[in-house]
Amino acid sequence: MSFGENLQFLRKRNGITQEQLAEQLKVSRQSVSKWESDGSFPEMDKLMQMCEMFSCDLDTLIRKSAEESTAQDTAQYDAHMNNRSRWYAGAVGLIIFGLGLQSMLEISARMEILGSFLFLCCVAGAVTIFIIKEMQHTSFRRRNPQIRSFYFEEEIYRFEKKYPLLMAVPVAVIILNVACQVLIDEFILRPYAENLSNGVFFIVLAAAVTVLVYGGMQKAKYNIEDYNKEGVKKRSKAAKYSGIIMLIATALFLLSIGIVTMDFMQAKEAGLDFQWRSSLVAFSWVVFPIGGIICAIVSVIVSKDEHQIEANEENQKETQET
């Protein structure tokens, strides 16, 4: 592709007109029209401005095909982020689904033990997914610290039309799910039916939360500017604190499993009946949602401080320059 074809492609991809581009570059619209028709060639300072504006290098803008370069970036970043969104959302849903299985099987002592075992298997699978996907994402960031903005405006617009549904429908399902559970608890007296309804409640909740997490991660995928900022900046304090909090939550969860396992072995040796439902394992899962809430609070507090520090630094730089 020629320079003019590359310029026209990049301009349309970013959803700006010739007049808008001319205004940003402080040239006439006729100049932009001549550049796109290869009737003339811009000066070097204008070329550098366009490289910064379109997030591309000079060699691609002048000699290579900007369209082919964009397609290559799409295959790397978009596929990676889609895969990460699916697995992360699935892992979150898997933990809640495990709670559903555990609730359904609380009909006898043996079945209760089986339910706790299946729940722990779900948690183990989810934690494994989190670790693997986070390591893969860290590796991807190291190989691709900066990503060119390649999404078309129409593609972003299509997702933004679908995004409210991805958020609103699961929230509505969760509210209706809670309402149904309240009615069932009020009118159904059979204990087995109550266990079944509790299990269905958690399974429906797992599906709704999975969609919410997936939608949120897909929304973040299109914000390439934030991705690039994270690639340039050091890891924020909020991310460090959140990592420490979730490590502590995981350690507490594993500690509870160890304690309960020891209690179970001692009860078995003594010939006593061990009540899994009243044990730590039945309630230890709450450390993960509590940890997530604490992470969110810490992130909000620390992010405000970091933004204030960045603003102060920029003001100091502007003052020094003037």
Side-chain angles (χ1 to χ4, degrees):
M1 295 178 70
S2 66
F3 164 73
E5 291 172 328
N6 282 334
L7 177 58
Q8 187 175 8
F9 169 77
L10 292 169
R11 177 179 61 77
K12 290 182 178 179
R13 187 199 65 182
N14 283 265
I16 59 177
T17 63
Q18 288 185 345
E19 290 82 359
Q20 292 171 330
L21 179 60
E23 184 178 349
Q24 293 181 39
L25 296 175
K26 294 182 171 51
V27 296
S28 65
R29 190 198 65 80
Q30 289 76 13
S31 297
V32 174
S33 179
K34 288 181 180 179
W35 294 344
E36 292 187 353
S37 61
D38 291 317
S40 64
F41 201 77
E43 298 176 353
M44 181 57 69
D45 62 329
K46 302 300 180 186
L47 288 172
M48 299 308 297
Q49 278 185 262
M50 283 185 273
C51 287
E52 185 176 356
M53 186 184 305
F54 299 129
S55 300
C56 70
D57 58 80
L58 187 61
D59 192 42
T60 299
L61 180 62
I62 296 176
R63 296 190 305 168
K64 296 181 180 179
S65 172
E67 188 171 0
E68 291 180 3
S69 177
T70 298
Q72 185 178 2
D73 286 337
T74 304
Q76 292 176 354
Y77 176 83
D78 193 66
H80 169 75
M81 297 302 284
N82 285 339
N83 179 272
R84 183 168 180 259
S85 299
R86 286 192 293 267
W87 280 101
Y88 261 76
V92 173
L94 183 62
I95 295 176
I96 305 175
F97 178 79
L99 287 173
L101 291 179
Q102 186 182 35
S103 298
M104 284 183 174
L105 294 174
E106 288 179 349
I107 55 177
S108 66
R110 287 189 176 183
M111 295 301 289
E112 192 173 340
I113 293 175
L114 176 61
S116 299
F117 172 75
L118 292 176
F119 169 67
L120 293 178
C121 288
C122 291
V123 172
V127 171
T128 302
I129 291 171
F130 286 139
I131 293 173
I132 292 174
K133 291 303 168 182
E134 189 58 32
M135 291 178 67
Q136 289 178 347
H137 187 60
T138 301
S139 176
F140 181 86
R141 275 194 172 280
R142 187 168 52 249
R143 289 183 284 108
N144 305 278
Q146 296 290 298
I147 297 292
R148 295 172 183 172
S149 179
F150 57 84
Y151 288 114
F152 291 96
E153 290 293 327
E154 295 142 358
E155 187 175 357
I156 297 174
Y157 175 71
R158 283 197 302 269
F159 174 78
E160 288 179 345
K161 285 180 64 179
K162 183 171 63 174
Y163 179 69
L165 289 175
L166 290 174
M167 296 293 103
V169 172
V171 170
V173 169
I174 292 172
I175 295 173
L176 291 174
N177 196 24
V178 173
C180 291
Q181 187 66 19
V182 171
L183 291 175
I184 291 172
D185 290 342
E186 185 68 26
F187 295 107
I188 294 181
L189 302 178
R190 296 179 182 179
Y192 292 163
E194 184 178 354
N195 291 335
L196 179 62
S197 68
N198 290 338
V200 172
F201 169 79
F202 281 114
I203 291 173
V204 174
L205 181 64
V209 171
T210 299
V211 175
L212 281 172
V213 174
Y214 177 77
M217 294 188 71
Q218 284 290 289
K219 175 71 172 176
K221 176 187 76 171
Y222 290 100
N223 197 342
I224 297 179
E225 184 179 353
D226 281 355
Y227 175 93
N228 290 336
K229 285 181 180 178
E230 288 296 324
V232 174
K233 291 163 55 179
K234 294 181 179 178
R235 194 182 182 196
S236 66
K237 289 183 179 180
K240 293 179 181 178
Y241 293 154
S242 297
I244 293 171
I245 291 169
M246 294 312 294
L247 283 174
I248 293 173
T250 304
L252 291 174
F253 179 75
L254 294 175
L255 179 63
S256 71
I257 293 176
I259 294 173
V260 171
T261 302
M262 292 178 63
D263 290 344
F264 173 72
M265 297 301 295
Q266 291 174 358
K268 187 176 180 182
E269 290 177 1
L272 301 175
D273 185 22
F274 184 74
Q275 297 295 326
W276 284 86
R277 188 169 187 177
S278 60
S279 67
L280 283 173
V281 162
F283 304 99
S284 59
W285 61 271
V286 300
V287 298
F288 292 107
I290 291 174
I293 293 171
I294 295 174
C295 287
I297 295 172
V298 169
S299 178
V300 171
I301 296 172
V302 175
S303 295
K304 286 183 178 179
D305 294 338
E306 289 180 344
H307 289 323
Q308 186 62 43
I309 292 172
E310 289 178 0
N312 292 337
E313 289 177 353
E314 289 179 0
N315 292 333
Q316 288 177 0
K317 288 181 180 178
E318 291 178 358
T319 304
Q320 291 174 357
E321 290 176 357
T322 54

